[in-house]
Amino acid sequence: MSERKTQIVVVGGGAAGLGLVRKLGKRYGRDRHDIILIDRNRTHVWKPLLHEVAAGSLDPNLDEVGYGGHAARWGYRFFNAGLERIDREKRMVTTAPLLDEEGSVIIDRHEIRYDYLVLAMGGVSNDFGIEGVRENAMFLEDRKQADRFRQVLLNACLRVNQARARGETAKLPICIVGGGATGVELSAELVNSAKALRSYGLEVFDDSAIELTLLEAGPRLLPALDEKISDNVRSELTSLGVDVRTEAMVSRIEPGRVHIKGADAPLDAKMILWAAGVRGDEAVKGMSDLELNKLDQIVVKPTLQTTVDDRIFAIGDCAFCHLPGDARPIPPRAQSAQQMADCVYDNLERAQRGQSLKDFVYNDRGSLVSLSRFATIGSLMGNLVGGKMAIEGRIARAAYMSLYRMHILNVHGWFRGTAQIVVSKVNQVVRPALKLH
Ligand SMILES: Cc1cc2nc3c(=O)[nH]c(=O)nc-3n(C[C@H](O)[C@H](O)[C@H](O)COP(=O)(O)OP(=O)(O)OC[C@H]3O[C@@H](n4cnc5c(N)ncnc54)[C@H](O)[C@@H]3O)c2cc1C
């Protein structure tokens, strides 16, 4: 009888999960291990690029990774489905039936055994239970939503262009809720796209046609970053024509209207994007008896094992990790997701050898905000710069781009990753600056 393979199942091939399965596949191969990635999508687009996809300044077809091909290359198996249930006793996960666009079943409900399970399912936008948000606002959680935003944007711009060509004074009011990195970066990216549209056949269109309002409930933009960075970002956005309003708490959204607490009248907006924070997916509640925090994130120990089951790890945005001695929990960011994946990669080996697991150590490398081609602002942390250093301009842009390059190297390895970086450099030169379809 053949030896039973150690089965490591990773759910979610995003910033945390995809690099992890590549490294696990490379380390263990298929001889004595079976590494399985489960994701409800067939391709991966790095989330921090989604605002560029939404604004049309990035063609996601060039940057996405197909899980099937990636799995064949790196020695793991890919299963296309959404996670439905975790049976801790039987050490079995159940995936939901995979449906086509008409709702017919492609792949039935399925059970997959695990010896170790890593949950890396990311997060969803937090609507704070505010009335009308789910129904009337758009979100930027995955490629499908970013593509939809771009289509709605393009159609709205074409309508405005046509009305202006007839001599009317048409405008496109857009409201972005949430002054974190997503809201800030999308605002600048939309100004960039609006400026470029005239040379793409929208002959009477210019950036004055878009009226952009950015709402933040707190007293300043980018609350997680230094005040000086917030101030710089605010003045840069204001100079680009964005109406930045802080202490503007949204109380209700109805079609085309955003109600702000204490304001005399609602804000009219043809497009509303909600980017006001991250929480865990509510569906996790019904999947198992894992401990969750108030935001439905899975609570983990410093080793990144879940508090109720040592064979189950949780990493990235779906995990709630508050390390002893730290003032705040680990933030939901790409760099945290990748560092958690590295820690679990080591801990899976230690667990199989019967060794004690190491605690996760978060290394904050700083925060950078890209305001499209207009500016990059932020801070770098670490020994290299002797603590914390504010940076701007070209150095900041290079550092910002390096985060994505590290993700590419993590996902494709050094050789293929470097080739991929060169190809995307070439594409920047030969491809149009905007994707308008
Ligand atoms: C527009 C935008 C800009 C951002 N910019 C930055 C930035 O500049 N810097 C930064 O550090 N961070 C940034 N972030 C945050 C960063 O993208 C996330 O913190 C990071 O992607 C989290 O990684 P993850 O692996 O936990 O989740 P994700 O990358 O979201 O991956 C989750 C994966 O799980 C899959 N999945 C989800 N549920 C299921 C299920 N039930 N069954 C199967 N599969 C499932 C999804 O399809 C997805 O592939 C940004 C986020 C957004 C949206």
Side-chain angles (χ1 to χ4, degrees):
M1 219 174 82
S2 67
E3 193 189 344
R4 195 174 112 137
K5 290 183 180 182
T6 303
Q7 207 143 298
I8 303 177
V9 174
V10 178
V11 185
L18 189 53
L20 178 64
V21 284
R22 179 187 78 81
K23 282 169 50 178
L24 290 173
K26 188 169 176 237
R27 175 186 268 174
Y28 298 120
R30 289 184 170 171
D31 294 343
R32 289 176 41 240
H33 282 75
D34 209 353
I35 312 296
I36 300 170
L37 172 68
I38 299 175
D39 200 292
R40 57 183 171 202
N41 291 316
R42 289 180 188 165
T43 59
H44 158 84
V45 175
W46 198 51
K47 244 184 178 180
L49 296 178
L50 288 180
H51 63 284
E52 295 185 32
V53 175
S57 46
L58 182 105
D59 184 346
N61 295 326
L62 304 175
D63 285 75
E64 72 183 346
V65 180
Y67 291 121
H70 191 259
R73 168 73 187 82
W74 291 105
Y76 67 90
R77 286 198 287 148
F78 169 57
F79 196 83
N80 183 200
L83 179 68
E84 197 175 61
R85 249 187 71 73
I86 303 166
D87 187 331
R88 295 199 297 111
E89 221 163 276
K90 289 192 192 148
R91 285 198 214 137
M92 198 79 92
V93 292
T94 309
T95 58
L98 182 71
L99 309 177
D100 65 15
E101 288 190 345
E102 280 76 45
S104 306
V105 174
I106 306 169
I107 301 173
D108 287 325
R109 183 169 278 109
H110 208 80
E111 287 197 327
I112 299 174
R113 173 184 73 78
Y114 66 83
D115 293 293
Y116 297 96
L117 176 64
V118 183
L119 300 172
M121 300 175 289
V124 297
S125 304
N126 191 352
D127 65 8
F128 300 95
I130 296 169
E131 191 186 331
V133 175
R134 283 279 147 203
E135 300 78 8
N136 303 312
M138 286 185 273
F139 299 88
L140 268 193
E141 287 165 8
D142 56 26
R143 174 173 174 181
K144 220 185 266 170
Q145 292 178 350
D147 282 341
R148 174 160 175 262
F149 184 94
R150 191 181 62 255
Q151 291 302 334
V152 175
L153 174 71
L154 180 61
N155 291 344
C157 291
L158 285 167
R159 285 193 184 102
V160 169
N161 187 64
Q162 179 179 267
R164 284 189 158 202
R166 286 196 299 252
E168 297 164 25
T169 48
K171 294 264 188 193
L172 170 57
I174 300 177
C175 176
I176 298 174
V177 186
T182 305
V184 161
E185 294 189 334
L186 180 66
S187 300
E189 213 58 66
L190 288 175
V191 176
N192 177 43
S193 299
K195 282 185 190 291
L197 278 172
R198 188 191 279 264
S199 48
Y200 281 75
L202 281 76
E203 282 157 13
V204 286
F205 198 93
D206 60 32
D207 50 324
S208 72
I210 287 189
E211 280 178 348
L212 208 54
T213 307
L214 176 61
L215 302 179
E216 163 59 42
R220 61 184 179 92
L221 297 179
L222 302 166
L225 306 192
D226 284 353
E227 216 162 325
K228 189 164 177 290
I229 297 175
S230 303
D231 293 345
N232 286 351
V233 166
R234 183 173 189 149
S235 55
E236 194 73 43
L237 285 179
T238 308
S239 73
L240 291 173
V242 180
D243 177 7
V244 178
R245 301 190 199 174
T246 45
E247 292 182 342
M249 172 87 78
V250 172
S251 55
R252 181 160 63 95
I253 297 187
E254 50 183 352
R257 286 178 143 202
V258 180
H259 293 262
I260 302 165
K261 212 170 156 191
D264 296 338
L267 185 77
D268 288 327
K270 288 232 163 64
M271 293 176 69
I272 303 164
L273 184 106
W274 188 267
V278 180
R279 55 170 293 137
D281 189 346
E282 257 178 86
V284 177
K285 258 188 222 152
M287 286 180 187
S288 71
D289 58 351
L290 295 176
E291 186 191 353
L292 306 179
N293 71 357
K294 272 191 247 156
L295 293 176
D296 291 328
Q297 291 167 303
I298 302 158
V299 183
V300 292
K301 302 193 279 194
T303 53
L304 304 179
Q305 290 162 302
T306 55
T307 47
V308 297
D309 194 324
D310 280 352
R311 285 184 179 264
I312 306 181
F313 296 79
I315 56 176
D317 287 3
C318 72
F320 176 77
C321 177
H322 198 160
L323 297 173
D326 279 6
R328 290 192 203 170
I330 303 299
R333 290 160 68 183
Q335 57 171 315
S336 344
Q338 195 173 320
Q339 289 178 35
M340 285 173 149
D342 290 343
C343 176
V344 165
Y345 174 68
D346 289 343
N347 276 345
L348 283 167
E349 175 68 13
R350 285 166 184 254
Q352 290 173 77
R353 288 172 180 239
Q355 296 169 343
S356 62
L357 272 55
K358 67 176 190 185
D359 286 352
F360 175 59
V361 178
Y362 178 53
N363 183 5
D364 185 351
R365 302 204 176 101
S367 306
L368 292 156
V369 183
S370 163
L371 302 181
S372 188
R373 66 184 164 85
F374 309 109
T376 306
I377 299 170
S379 62
L380 282 186
M381 303 263 283
N383 298 336
L384 203 63
V385 294
K388 194 170 189 180
M389 185 179 83
I391 53 166
E392 278 191 53
R394 279 169 187 243
I395 303 174
R397 182 75 201 157
Y400 182 83
M401 292 309 295
S402 72
L403 185 63
Y404 180 44
R405 292 198 181 119
M406 279 178 37
H407 175 68
I408 293 180
L409 295 176
N410 195 31
V411 164
H412 296 288
W414 281 99
F415 180 68
R416 281 165 188 261
T418 307
Q420 180 95 4
I421 291 166
V422 173
V423 169
S424 58
K425 271 270 160 216
V426 173
N427 274 326
Q428 276 170 17
V429 179
V430 300
R431 292 264 172 174
L434 284 190
K435 179 183 186 322
L436 289 181
H437 52 274

